[in-house]
Each structure stands twice: as structure tokens, then as C-alpha cells.
Amino acid sequence: MILVPAAHVVETLAQCGERGIRAAVVISSGFAEESNEAARARDGELRAVAERFGMLVCGPNSEGVVNPLKPLVATFSPVFHDPRRSFPPVAGHPRPIAVSCQSGALTFSFLSRGRDRQLRFTHQVSAGNQTVLEAHDYVDWWLDEGDADIFLLYLEGIRHPDGFRAVAAKAAEAGKPLIVAKVGRSVAGRRAAASHTGALAHDGVIDDAIFRHHGIVRGEDLDQMVDVAAAFALCRLPRGNRVAVITGSGGSAVWMADILSAHRLELPVLEDDIQQRILALLPSYASAQNPVDGTAQAIHEVGYARLVEIVRESKRIDVILLIGSLANDATAAQRAEELAAITGSTEQPILLSTYTTASPSSMAAFAKAGIPCYTSMPSCARAIRALVDYVQFQARRSQPRGAEATPSGLREEVGRALAAAGPVLTEVEAKAMLKRYGVPRPPEALVTGAEEAAAAAARIGGPVALKVQSPDIIHKTEAGAVALGITGDAAVREAYQRVLAAAKASHPEAAVHGVLVQPMAAPGDEMILGVTRDPRFGPMLMVGLGGIHVEVLRDVVFSPVPIGRDEALSLLGDLKGAAVLDGVRGAPPADRAALAKLIAALSRFAADHGDLIEEIDLNPVIVHAQGQGLTVVDALIVKRKH
């Protein structure tokens, strides 16, 4: 443990290395967290000393480490200033939790907030500046050590994203949840992007995509993270998202039902025979459908345990949620004791939401029975949602992703062509490149004269679109270089001259390759697909609903690449407006299978050639009725500037 002025830390660390010490925690601040050159130089010198001696260094600018398994308390955190406050038990029913944070103050706040809930905390590390070890490096070690099953992390930055993803995959394989707060979601300072995809990408949505891919639960705030950790620590994992509510408060039941539904949790009506058995215990004015409103009188006389014993036999229920009061310690202890006798044999996880405040002794009694308690209805719903999402993630992970492998010859051939292309590929060039990966291309023709345009339109038949092709005109519509719904030879010739004139007027220096003549797409649902290169995680696929959904509502989801068709279908389900694809107001369902095939193909192209690509846009993509495929209306590829 090094606690000396910053100017002497490197020398002290070197002395430790010379004496064979291979691990150190540097409490001292005055390194890269400061803006002056001397502080930043010390950071580099510290890293060099660690590399020279093969030392593992926590910090600098760390608030220390705590490990009750030793026991070791090596921190100045005020959480440990009162010797009358003991650690929660390090052995017992709850699954153990470990903490790793870049923020020193927040590191030990989780134990402070979870202590009264009888949560078990083992290792707690303030990672500090992460000069040598990052926050996820500790998780990697804890996974091998086996002393913790749930991990809470607070991150301000990820210096080695490949290492972070490897640890996340390792935790998923072990079935040990990561609950991670990653701050810095603001779009402020995002670079100007040429494509819609690049403009829509920012740290927050990219982090969400990586987290979803690896089953990481996003931490929203301290209380939410502790609430979710409590659910994982005390509950079995549910089979699905169907919740039964048992309560003595009708108002609370209605309120909670609304909140659960808002979190995409179902409250199915219980089977008739289950209802009849419940009603036999309740007054005539009670309800047994779901929520089960036993009324205050019945809960007082019957208790929760007897009702749970009946409800747990339902084949329609995955989670049991109790709503009650924890205002009376004696009553709470009695109810917890009754429930403790059946929680071990109950397949569904059981949680409790209290509409009154809860004393530490009440929460401790229920925790001992294996039931986490919540004083906030939304927090309770979020905790259940986290359990359900984790189960769904593990189900997806257990199935083959099905991402196809590109034949090496094709990958190399397209790679050479892409490398030889200019910095921006026009629609014609981009579609030709993507077609090699199975991206469908409508019948269309690149022309360089008005008569040639008219002849191409006649061959295509029906209304056509004319679009100027220039690598210097990325946004063709804004330049007036697009004409839509043109019919007849004379109209096509006039439109050809008009779009060329508009292009030259708006971009007089642009290199024009010609005009693309293509059929107007048949009706369907408008989508946008794209790829953007994140500076940390590399190529990221984007899928979104087009039109107003992307322009105003920004209804988009991202994913690392590559992904298979099954995962593409799952990704579509995460769109807020995904129901649009099922058909609304009499419209037929969209061809999701064709869309999933396109998503998988684009993701494979991005994975194979990510080093060359900055952005890709397929916008719009018109998805036709089920079984009728789709049309890629426009395409753009922007290459990386090396």
C-alpha cells in the first residue's frame, strides 16, 4: 500500500520491485487525473516501472481495496469509519458480490447501501486511474478465483475494449452476471458524420449494443444496481416473463400491474382451478385472477405462504411478486419465517415490494428467507426485467449464432476491390460490392446521356427514379440531384437534364460518374441499415425503422459484427416500433426473414472489411409483404482515412 506524495511514488514503487514485491495499491493522487504535464509524465513512469518489474498495480488515485475473506480493510472510505458497523456475513444464502470501480467514493457505496439488505460483498477494489490494471481485469481474476458470482462495475472509460469483451464473454459462460454503470453517454463532441448511421451513433448506444451482446445489465444509478444485484443474489432465475402478483392492497396491485406491463412483463390470468382454491381462502370481495388481491384482512389471517403454495402450481407463472407492508417488524419477521419454509421448494423466484418504509430488520428477515425487498415499485419491476433479460440472453447464447463464414477467395477479392476504390463509393459502386455478399440489387442502369436514360427506363418499365452518381455528392436529395416517379421518354429525358443541372449548380467541382436509372420500389415498410466504426469497439451494425422513426424518434439499435439471421431477428425485436413489421391497419406482415438475411449479410461484409470501412448506409430499405423480399433503394460506403 503506497501512500506517499505523488513525486515519490515512482521511486517507492521501484524500491518495492527491487525487493521482489509484485503487487501494489497506490492510494496517492497527482497523476493522469490532473491536467498538467508533470502529472501525466508520472503516470507514464509508473507504468514503465510496473512493466520493468512485472508488477500488478492498482491505481494510482485509488481509494484502496477491501476483502472481508482475509479480512483486509485497506481504504480510507468513510463507509468503514464506524467500528460498530460490521460486515454483512460473508457466508450464507445470498450469492456473493464483488465490486470494481474507477471512482473511489462509489466503490464502497454499494456495500453501504446493501449492508441492511444482508447482501454478501467479497472483494471491493477502487481501480483509480487504471494505469496498469483496468476494472475488468479484477473481474477476470475473480472469475478464476470463484469467490464471487455477481459483479458491480462503475466505468468512465475502457482502454482495452477487446479485454473487456473477453471478460464479459467469460462471465457469461460462467453464468455470472455483470452489472455495469458506464458513464459518458452524451452525444456532445461526437464527430460530424457523413452518413445517418454515423450521426446516430454515440457512446451510449454503442455501449448498450456491446452490453446487450454480452448479457451485461446496464447500471443506471446506485440504487438500481443494488436492487438488481439483490435479485440476482437471492432469486432463482425465472423461466420467462410472466408475473403473479399477490397483495393485500388493491390500489398497489393496480399500480404495480401498470408498471410491470410498462417493463414488458406479463400478468396472465391464473387457471380456473387455481383461482377456485385461492378464493376458498379469501372473502367474497377478493380477486384471484391476477393480481391476487387477498385484501388486508385475508393477508392478516391467511398470510402469504399459503397463497404462494397455490399460485406456484400454475403453469402460467414464472415469477411471484408479493406486495405488502414492512412497517411492523414483528409481523414482517413472522411472514418471512412462514415463507422461508417454502422458498427452497418453490421453482419461481419470489420478490417483495413494500408500500411502506422498511426497517433493516424486516429486510434482513426476508433476505434470510431468500426474498429480496424493494421500497420502489419501478425498481422492483426493473429487477424482475433484469432477471428475465439475463435468462433470454443465456438462451440466445446457448444456440448457434449461425453467422456464415465468407469463402476466403471472395473475401480477398472484395477486399482488394474495396482497397482500390476511392474514399467514397457511390450507390452503383456500393451496391456492386455488396451484391457479392448476397445483398439484393434491383434492376437498374448507370447512364451518361438523356437518350440512354430513356432507353433504360423503357427496359425497366413503369415509373423510375433518376439519381446523380458522384462520390462528391453524398446527400443527393438535398442537392436536388434526384427525380422520383418519372414516366415516359420525354419526362425521363427532361429529368435527366434537370438532376444533372442541379448537381452541377450545388457542387460545381463534383466528379459526376453518370445518372442511375432504377425502378420505383413497391410499397412496404421503410427501414435503415448501416455500419459505423466506433473508435473503441470497431465496426458496429445499425438497424432502425426509417422515415420519422429514425429522423425524429431515433428508433435504432446497434450490434457488434458479425451476427447470424437468428440474432438479426432478435435485434429487430428490440426496436420500439418493431410491431410495425407485423402489419398495422390491415397491412400485411413484412418479410422479416428477408430483412434478417440482409442484416446478416451486411454484418458479415462489415466484419470482413472493417479495417477499410468508416461508414455504410443502406437507406432506405423497403421491406415488402411477407415472402416478397425487399428493395435496397440507396447505398453509400465511406472508407476510413488512414
Side-chain angles (χ1 to χ4, degrees):
M1 302 296 299
I2 297 179
L3 301 90
V4 298
H8 301 284
V9 166
V10 173
E11 175 190 358
T12 304
L13 198 63
Q15 292 172 357
C16 291
E18 290 166 356
R19 285 160 175 76
I21 293 170
R22 291 294 175 261
V25 179
V26 180
I27 299 288
S28 311
S29 57
F31 290 81
E33 79 279 4
E34 296 188 4
S35 58
N36 61 79
E37 289 297 327
R40 284 195 289 268
R42 282 194 291 269
D43 218 62
E45 292 166 3
L46 186 151
R47 185 182 297 109
V49 168
E51 291 174 355
R52 174 153 53 102
F53 292 104
M55 297 180 73
L56 297 177
V57 178
C58 173
N61 190 32
S62 165
E63 199 161 308
V65 298
V66 169
N67 179 3
L69 302 175
K70 288 296 184 186
L72 169 69
V73 178
T75 178
F76 58 89
S77 169
V79 172
F80 303 95
H81 284 185
D82 187 350
R84 295 169 298 178
R85 296 299 305 271
S86 63
F87 273 110
V90 293
H93 178 76
R95 298 172 70 191
I97 302 167
V99 179
S100 178
C101 293
Q102 281 184 248
S103 165
L106 295 179
T107 302
F108 308 104
S109 65
F110 294 107
L111 179 138
S112 177
R113 290 169 182 263
R115 186 174 356 218
D116 290 341
R117 302 172 76 162
Q118 297 300 295
L119 299 182
R120 293 169 56 200
F121 287 86
T122 56
H123 308 274
Q124 297 155 74
V125 172
S126 167
N129 290 1
Q130 303 190 117
T131 301
V132 177
L133 293 175
E134 288 194 76
H136 61 260
D137 290 323
Y138 303 99
V139 177
D140 192 19
W141 186 82
W142 293 331
L143 285 166
D144 292 336
E145 194 72 5
D147 289 332
D149 292 334
I150 301 160
F151 306 100
L152 299 176
L153 284 76
Y154 168 88
L155 307 177
E156 294 171 0
I158 302 172
R159 287 191 294 108
H160 297 106
D162 289 345
F164 174 80
R165 293 188 62 183
V167 171
K170 187 175 179 179
E173 179 68 27
K176 297 188 173 185
L178 291 175
I179 305 168
V180 181
K182 170 64 172 64
V183 298
R185 294 170 63 92
S186 170
V187 299
R190 179 69 182 177
R191 59 169 173 75
S195 72
H196 284 80
T197 305
L200 289 165
H202 58 83
D203 283 351
V205 296
I206 299 300
D207 291 338
D208 286 342
I210 295 296
F211 284 16
R212 177 192 180 279
H213 188 79
H214 291 290
I216 297 170
V217 181
R218 176 177 277 286
E220 300 294 345
D221 56 61
L222 286 169
D223 289 326
Q224 178 257 357
M225 292 178 72
V226 174
D227 285 336
V228 172
F232 279 111
L234 291 164
C235 294
R236 286 185 170 92
L237 292 177
R239 294 169 303 188
N241 70 334
R242 303 169 300 176
V243 182
V245 175
I246 303 175
T247 178
S249 165
S252 297
V254 176
W255 205 345
M256 179 59 86
D258 288 347
I259 293 171
L260 293 171
S261 298
H263 285 81
R264 296 175 290 114
L265 299 166
E266 299 177 15
L267 282 81
V269 175
L270 297 173
E271 298 91 332
D272 290 342
D273 62 315
I274 298 288
Q275 290 190 48
Q276 292 304 316
R277 291 169 59 191
I278 293 171
L279 288 172
L281 300 174
L282 304 181
S284 59
Y285 49 87
S287 172
Q289 290 188 332
N290 189 21
V292 176
D293 179 11
T295 74
Q297 176 186 343
I299 294 299
H300 177 72
E301 295 176 356
V302 176
Y304 289 104
R306 291 178 66 186
L307 297 174
V308 169
E309 286 181 298
I310 299 172
V311 171
R312 70 182 180 179
E313 295 182 27
S314 171
K315 303 300 182 185
R316 302 175 181 175
I317 297 303
D318 305 310
V319 179
I320 297 175
L321 173 58
L322 311 177
I323 302 178
S325 168
L326 296 185
N328 186 300
D329 288 355
T331 302
Q334 178 187 344
R335 299 294 179 228
E337 185 178 353
E338 294 167 355
L339 287 162
I342 64 170
T343 50
S345 59
T346 300
E347 181 180 345
Q348 299 95 332
I350 304 174
L351 304 88
L352 184 142
S353 175
T354 175
Y355 48 80
T356 63
T357 56
S359 68
S361 63
S362 296
M363 290 190 291
F366 276 92
K368 186 177 179 181
I371 300 173
C373 297
Y374 298 87
T375 56
S376 161
M377 289 182 179
S379 292
C380 184
R382 287 198 299 263
I384 297 172
R385 184 72 248 174
L387 294 176
V388 171
D389 286 344
Y390 192 74
V391 169
Q392 293 175 347
F393 158 73
Q394 288 291 1
R396 290 197 306 270
R397 198 185 65 83
S398 65
Q399 299 170 356
R401 295 195 181 278
E404 300 175 14
T406 309
S408 58
L410 174 61
R411 184 174 62 250
E412 292 167 5
E413 181 182 338
V414 172
R416 287 193 296 269
L418 191 58
V424 176
L425 278 70
T426 64
E427 178 181 348
V428 169
E429 295 167 329
K431 284 182 175 178
M433 202 80 70
L434 292 167
K435 186 178 180 181
R436 304 295 304 276
Y437 274 69
V439 174
R441 184 180 183 182
E444 53 193 20
L446 181 67
V447 300
T448 56
E451 293 300 330
E452 192 181 355
R459 287 194 306 271
I460 292 171
V464 295
L466 286 80
K467 297 185 278 188
V468 170
Q469 299 295 292
S470 169
D472 303 315
I473 307 176
I474 292 176
H475 302 295
K476 298 185 288 290
T477 302
E478 288 84 343
V482 175
L484 302 177
I486 309 301
T487 304
D489 290 354
V492 170
R493 287 192 290 268
E494 186 277 330
Y496 177 89
Q497 301 293 353
R498 174 161 41 89
V499 296
L500 270 184
K504 292 184 180 298
S506 62
H507 295 77
E509 304 299 323
V512 175
H513 295 176
V515 173
L516 182 65
V517 182
Q518 65 180 193
M520 294 295 293
D525 292 307
E526 188 173 333
M527 302 289 295
I528 176 173
L529 273 63
V531 173
T532 187
R533 183 174 186 83
D534 182 76
R536 299 162 302 154
F537 294 109
M540 298 293 295
L541 173 77
M542 186 203 76
V543 179
L545 291 171
I548 188 174
H549 294 280
V550 70
E551 298 292 347
V552 179
L553 303 180
R554 294 176 174 259
D555 188 6
V556 296
V557 289
F558 286 78
S559 171
V561 296
I563 62 174
R565 297 185 195 181
D566 289 343
E567 192 169 359
L569 287 170
S570 176
L571 198 65
L572 289 173
D574 284 351
L575 291 168
K576 301 181 186 71
V580 169
L581 298 173
D582 297 328
V584 294
R585 294 187 176 180
D591 198 334
R592 285 192 185 226
L595 181 55
K597 182 179 179 181
L598 172 61
I599 292 170
L602 180 62
S603 80
R604 187 159 48 91
F605 182 90
D608 288 348
H609 308 292
D611 288 344
L612 294 171
I613 295 167
E614 187 67 34
E615 297 169 1
I616 301 176
D617 256 11
L618 305 185
N619 179 34
V621 174
I622 307 298
V623 186
H624 308 304
Q626 190 170 315
Q628 297 180 20
L630 50 77
T631 301
V632 179
V633 175
D634 203 348
L636 169 73
I637 297 178
V638 179
K639 290 173 58 178
R640 291 184 69 192
K641 296 178 181 179
H642 291 283

